[in-house]
Amino acid sequence: MRLRSYTLFGAVCLALMLTACGTQGYAPPLGKSARATLTNAADPGVTITASLTPAYATHVAVYFKGQPLPLTGTQTPAQLRQGSCFGPVVAPLSDGNAPVGASTTPGVKPVNSEVNAVTTAPDPAGGTDVDVAPGAQWYITVQSQANDPNAPVAACGSPLSERRQYFDLYPPANNSIAIGNALQDPILATHITFSGPGLASAQPTSWAVHTGNCSGPVVASGSVNQNHATAFKALDAKTWWLSLTFAADNVLCGQVNQS
């Protein structure tokens, strides 16, 4: 009986150790959804409801010819495409990309031509966070020059699965010698949706997540697009306070609570 107890105890410890060691390249499990009621003591008649939903996103870092590809000032812009090296551009991964809707050479589709551009943000560790779940359907491309809708693809590659991995980038016409590589890393994000009668007359311009209270440190912020936003942070309903700023600098804020 004692041997069985020791065996069970050992199995539990092993499970805890494996959990502590990570998820073997997969993103951690999603948490629960949450809500927040945003108000302003100076204008108690206006109330906005925020719904917060955990989601998977992707951190992408691109390296070209042995160097990290800069997010700004690059002469060889990077893009996230869907389906192939010449598929529709889902999101820019640096500046220097051609304007949305610009004409392209045959077979090369412009940003937002078939897939709506998604939210992106620079990652503090380098690279770009993109509001799409990781997967083998995404292709990283590096264009041969900046701000040119007809620029040929200099390098391209895709991951083998949705797990964390480095993969090589090859010239489209020659996949024998890699001239770059990229990192795909699954991360957690939070989708935020705002609703309420106050949105009809005064559209919000920006949001921020604070810790401690409405005046606490900002851990994430961004702009509001059609009453939606994405925070590239895992939801923490215990410490988050969410603020919403309108064009007239009116700020509404409230504590995030588990749904």
Side-chain angles (χ1 to χ4, degrees):
M1 186 70 178
R2 179 175 297 178
L3 177 61
R4 181 179 299 176
S5 298
Y6 288 157
T7 302
L8 178 61
F9 177 76
V12 171
C13 289
L14 178 61
L16 291 175
M17 288 174 64
L18 289 175
T19 301
C21 289
T23 55
Q24 298 184 3
Y26 294 102
L30 296 176
K32 296 181 179 180
S33 299
R35 296 174 68 86
T37 300
L38 311 182
T39 60
N40 187 327
D43 190 5
V46 178
T47 300
I48 299 296
T49 298
S51 300
L52 297 92
T53 306
Y56 291 118
T58 305
H59 170 221
V60 179
V62 181
Y63 304 85
F64 187 57
K65 295 184 177 179
Q67 299 294 327
L69 193 143
L71 302 186
T72 59
T74 180
Q75 297 303 307
T76 52
Q79 303 167 337
L80 181 71
R81 292 181 178 262
Q82 185 177 34
S84 75
C85 296
F86 304 101
V89 177
V90 177
L93 300 176
S94 70
D95 68 358
N97 281 284
V100 173
S103 62
T104 62
T105 53
V108 181
K109 300 172 183 179
V111 175
N112 213 23
S113 63
E114 293 183 6
V115 179
N116 290 329
V118 300
T119 302
T120 64
D123 190 287
T128 304
D129 296 333
V130 187
D131 190 17
V132 296
Q137 73 273 28
W138 306 125
Y139 283 71
I140 306 298
T141 63
V142 177
Q143 305 301 108
S144 58
Q145 57 189 22
N147 302 310
D148 182 357
N150 299 316
V153 173
C156 175
S158 65
L160 297 176
S161 70
E162 71 274 23
R163 298 173 68 175
R164 184 183 194 274
Q165 61 195 274
Y166 285 92
F167 53 95
D168 289 332
L169 305 179
Y170 296 94
N174 179 6
N175 62 358
S176 61
I177 300 177
I179 58 174
N181 55 36
L183 166 68
Q184 172 187 268
D185 199 5
I187 60 173
L188 296 179
T190 303
H191 290 165
I192 308 172
T193 303
F194 301 100
S195 61
L199 295 175
S201 57
Q203 291 295 318
T205 59
S206 62
W207 59 273
V209 171
H210 309 258
T211 58
N213 55 58
C214 289
S215 301
V218 174
V219 296
S221 62
S223 58
V224 179
N225 182 17
Q226 297 181 341
N227 298 331
H228 291 81
T230 298
F232 291 104
K233 294 280 186 179
L235 175 61
D236 185 353
K238 296 180 180 179
T239 62
W240 276 19
W241 292 70
L242 180 64
S243 65
L244 187 63
T245 301
F246 291 80
D249 290 333
N250 185 31
V251 179
L252 278 66
C253 185
Q255 186 173 10
V256 175
N257 297 295
Q258 211 87 58
S259 296

